[in-house]
Amino acid sequence: MRQRRGKDSAIGSSDGLDSGGGSLGKGRPFPPRSPRKVFLFCLAFRIVNSLLIQTRFHPDEHWQGPEVAHRLVFGYGQLTWEWEKGLRGYLHPMIFAALYKVLAVTGLDTPWFMINAPKLLQSVFCAVGDLYLYKLSYVIFGGRIAEWALFSELTNWFMFFCFPRTFSNSFETVLTLAGLYYWPCLRDPQRTDPSLSRRWGLVLAAISCAIRPTSAIIWLYVGLLELYLCRDRLKFIFLEALPIGVLILGLSTLLDRLVYGSWILAPVNFLKFNFLSSGADMFGTHKWHWYFSQGFTAMLLTFIPFTVVGISISRQWCLAGLMAWILALYSVIGHKEFRFVLPVLPIALMFSGVSLAAISSPHASDTRQSEPSKENKKRKSRMRLAVAFLLVTNVPMALYCSLFHQRGSEDVMNFLSVEAANNRVKSILLLMPCHSTPYYSILHRDIPMRSMDCSPSEDRTVPDESDRFMMDPLGFASELAKNWSKPSHIVLFDWEERQLKGFLSSHSFREIRRFFHAHFKVDRHLQASIAVYASKS
């Protein structure tokens, strides 16, 4: 078969952006940073980042990872309806299960470690992702752009806010960055063995798909691109892609068989429910253009003009096409969330690095051994202005969303975990929408705990328990109290609290703590605070 891959055919060719990372093709090569130093710097940054995150973003960061792992290791906890229907695989929760096992064996399963250990572990994965963003940027664009790409990733508000959370999407993002780095059509084929590099990329792609079946959207694009450019297509398909894919997905299925107790094809069930039956639409839908008009633009925020200019300067249309491909396909799905497109946010920020490197690089006329020219001073001024603009528009938002917005959900369960460890909590009733707080993975005490159920019904016109409570809090609580074993503590948002004051008083509950939650309305009502009531008896 005819050789198709060449120096100019790989999308890693720099189109004037010097592969050594010089001044955008001019000047001396920019030497690479030590990968070890880059990783250690990113690790230190992400550890601080993870500890600064004190807020809630989405229930899945607790309920689809640490909560499942806690049940596996400690034998108690609650699984959501997805696990009962076999829509989720156990590969991702097993990562946290291994962490919890270490904590249990060493006796470190104290409230502080149960709260922070999963975040600290995720910070290690984030640092790996940051390192591979730097390495990927370096092999495509060069060292100067790689450093600015890393700067963009570390200062982008959404990456700071979301990446260190224990989402499967965060781990998918790490695997995507590492896999793209090893993908031959993104690299200079003269510098690497395409076959060996591609096998590493395929392993990471298969793991990513096993954890998040929708990750196949990413790998379908780059897989077809590699198939078009590679020398031996039959070898790529039958001796590399199929064996590696079958092996990884087979091992993942075997793991699910061991935990579920029966053969479950979780990726198939996941895709059938979310795509073929549009089951995800019951959690809310958005207009087709939401990612372009609101979602992805909010994630990029003030990096948008830098990304657009970076794409124009670099002319890396295949890499930009990957972003457009993912955003377009996810736009077809009715249910949309920010975190679904997290894996392509670093790619957009990589293009921002191209723009920032262009601003910071001197022109050929400015490289003489003379006094700094007027143009050189203007360039430095523009650089300082660009950096200041990005920091001022991203850092405050990152800190506010990480430290303040919706923090009550975390604070209240952290408080109850300490109280339970001191035997001051016997049972808990959460009178709030389902999955509003973390659960046993934070509480870490095998005591009765009751929350609203929002499992989907076959008849979608029938409201679930959580909806019925929100429609009539007093009526629901009064009906519940007829047959309850009275809890020692009740937790509720201030909006529901106002309607249940009389109910709480009549059942001898008194307020013992209150936690700030949010300044702004997120869902139906402004949930400004969370109150904890304890039985007077």
Side-chain angles (χ1 to χ4, degrees):
M1 185 170 291
R2 184 180 177 183
Q3 168 76 33
R4 283 183 175 269
R5 190 192 304 277
K7 185 174 181 180
D8 296 327
S9 66
I11 69 171
S13 60
S14 53
D15 285 2
L17 306 185
D18 186 286
S19 62
S23 301
L24 296 179
K26 301 172 184 178
R28 296 182 296 106
F30 196 84
R33 301 287 181 179
S34 162
R36 179 173 175 271
K37 290 182 179 179
V38 172
F39 173 75
L40 290 177
F41 171 79
C42 293
L43 179 60
F45 180 89
R46 291 301 181 189
I47 287 174
V48 174
N49 184 180
S50 67
L51 294 177
L52 284 175
I53 293 178
Q54 304 292 321
T55 57
R56 174 185 186 268
F57 177 30
H58 191 279
D60 280 9
E61 65 183 290
H62 294 290
W63 287 82
Q64 303 299 352
E67 187 65 27
V68 179
H70 189 278
R71 183 183 176 94
L72 289 172
V73 174
F74 297 103
Y76 62 95
Q78 183 167 323
L79 299 182
T80 60
W81 61 272
E82 293 102 321
W83 298 92
E84 296 174 2
K85 294 183 177 293
L87 268 64
R88 301 279 184 173
Y90 278 92
L91 183 57
H92 182 244
M94 277 297 176
I95 297 170
F96 300 102
L99 172 66
Y100 285 148
K101 192 65 177 178
V102 171
L103 295 180
V105 170
T106 57
L108 292 176
D109 53 332
T110 61
W112 191 91
F113 278 101
M114 295 302 295
I115 293 167
N116 292 295
K119 294 191 294 184
L120 291 172
L121 177 61
Q122 185 63 38
S123 70
V124 178
F125 299 141
C126 289
V128 173
D130 295 332
L131 172 64
Y132 273 102
L133 173 80
Y134 175 84
K135 295 173 71 173
L136 177 63
S137 303
Y138 189 87
V139 299
I140 296 177
F141 299 116
R144 186 178 298 277
I145 292 176
E147 293 202 345
W148 283 112
L150 184 59
F151 166 83
S152 299
E153 170 147 301
L154 296 181
T155 56
N156 174 259
W157 81 271
F158 194 83
M159 290 299 291
F160 188 96
F161 169 68
C162 181
F163 199 22
R165 297 179 186 269
T166 53
F167 289 121
S168 59
N169 309 88
S170 298
F171 198 65
E172 175 194 13
T173 302
V174 176
L175 293 170
T176 299
L177 289 170
L180 291 177
Y181 170 75
Y182 289 109
W183 212 251
C185 64
L186 301 180
R187 301 169 62 95
D188 185 343
Q190 307 301 321
R191 299 186 180 185
T192 185
D193 177 2
S195 181
L196 178 61
S197 178
R198 188 167 58 211
R199 290 191 191 106
W200 279 110
L202 285 168
V203 169
L204 294 166
I207 296 174
S208 181
C209 292
I211 290 176
R212 293 281 306 175
T214 50
S215 190
I217 294 174
I218 299 172
W219 299 107
L220 177 62
Y221 178 95
V222 293
L224 290 174
L225 186 61
E226 178 67 18
L227 184 65
Y228 174 74
L229 294 173
C230 71
R231 177 186 304 177
D232 194 331
R233 294 171 178 170
L234 293 179
K235 177 184 177 182
F236 170 51
I237 296 173
F238 295 104
L239 297 182
E240 294 176 0
L242 279 179
I244 291 173
V246 170
L247 175 63
I248 299 297
L249 295 177
L251 291 174
S252 175
T253 302
L254 180 60
L255 174 63
D256 291 338
R257 168 67 177 83
L258 294 174
V259 183
Y260 275 111
S262 59
W263 289 107
I264 296 289
L265 294 176
V268 175
N269 294 340
F270 180 89
L271 294 173
K272 284 172 59 179
F273 178 82
N274 287 289
F275 294 97
L276 300 183
S277 66
S278 299
D281 289 357
M282 70 178 65
F283 302 111
T285 59
H286 298 81
K287 297 290 186 180
W288 68 268
H289 55 76
W290 183 80
Y291 282 119
F292 295 96
S293 61
Q294 299 177 56
F296 199 62
T297 53
M299 294 162 69
L300 268 176
L301 202 63
T302 51
F303 282 93
I304 292 176
F306 296 91
T307 296
V308 173
V309 172
I311 293 173
S312 177
I313 293 174
S314 67
R315 300 186 182 278
Q316 296 289 341
W317 305 119
C318 290
L319 199 57
L322 174 60
M323 290 193 303
W325 163 265
I326 293 172
L327 294 174
L329 286 192
Y330 272 112
S331 294
V332 176
I333 305 169
H335 179 62
K336 299 174 177 64
E337 294 185 29
F338 294 102
R339 59 194 177 94
F340 291 169
V341 294
L342 181 64
V344 293
L345 182 57
I347 298 175
L349 295 171
M350 191 189 310
F351 284 115
S352 295
V354 174
S355 293
L356 292 169
I359 297 173
S360 68
S361 301
H363 299 293
S365 60
D366 299 327
T367 57
R368 299 170 185 171
Q369 299 295 325
S370 59
E371 293 286 328
S373 67
K374 187 175 181 180
E375 284 298 319
N376 199 29
K377 290 180 179 179
K378 287 183 179 180
R379 173 185 57 79
K380 291 181 179 179
S381 178
R382 287 195 299 268
M383 188 69 253
R384 286 193 292 266
L385 183 62
V387 170
F389 171 71
L390 290 172
L391 291 177
V392 167
T393 53
N394 280 270
V395 173
M397 188 159 180
L399 293 176
Y400 177 79
C401 291
S402 300
L403 290 171
F404 301 104
H405 184 58
Q406 298 193 102
R407 70 168 294 149
S409 295
E410 304 293 317
D411 288 341
V412 69
M413 198 55 68
N414 296 347
F415 164 74
L416 289 172
S417 70
V418 175
E419 292 290 286
N422 293 319
N423 296 316
R424 291 195 287 265
V425 178
K426 303 302 179 184
S427 58
I428 302 171
L429 171 62
L430 300 172
L431 285 179
M432 52 207 324
C434 64
H435 307 145
S436 292
T437 69
Y439 221 57
Y440 283 106
S441 60
I442 298 297
L443 185 71
H444 194 49
R445 284 295 181 274
D446 190 9
I447 61 176
M449 188 153 52
R450 168 79 156 85
S451 64
M452 300 296 106
D453 179 40
C454 54
S455 302
S457 170
E458 295 294 332
D459 185 357
R460 297 186 182 181
T461 62
V462 177
D464 58 40
E465 191 175 67
S466 183
D467 288 331
R468 287 190 284 114
F469 170 69
M470 293 300 293
M471 288 186 288
D472 183 12
L474 180 58
F476 184 93
S478 300
E479 188 67 27
L480 182 66
K482 292 179 180 178
N483 300 303
W484 72 4
S485 176
K486 186 178 177 181
S488 67
H489 291 71
I490 291 180
V491 181
L492 68 172
F493 285 113
D494 61 325
W495 186 86
E496 291 87 6
E497 178 195 21
R498 288 193 291 270
Q499 303 182 61
L500 294 173
K501 279 284 189 181
F503 171 85
L504 295 167
S505 178
S506 66
H507 287 83
S508 302
F509 284 93
R510 62 181 176 86
E511 180 184 333
I512 60 169
R513 286 296 297 270
R514 183 174 295 272
F515 299 92
F516 165 78
H517 185 62
H519 292 112
F520 308 104
K521 182 173 71 173
V522 175
D523 195 2
R524 305 174 190 180
H525 313 284
L526 171 60
Q527 298 165 331
S529 63
I530 295 178
V532 180
Y533 281 75
S535 174
K536 294 179 182 179
S537 59

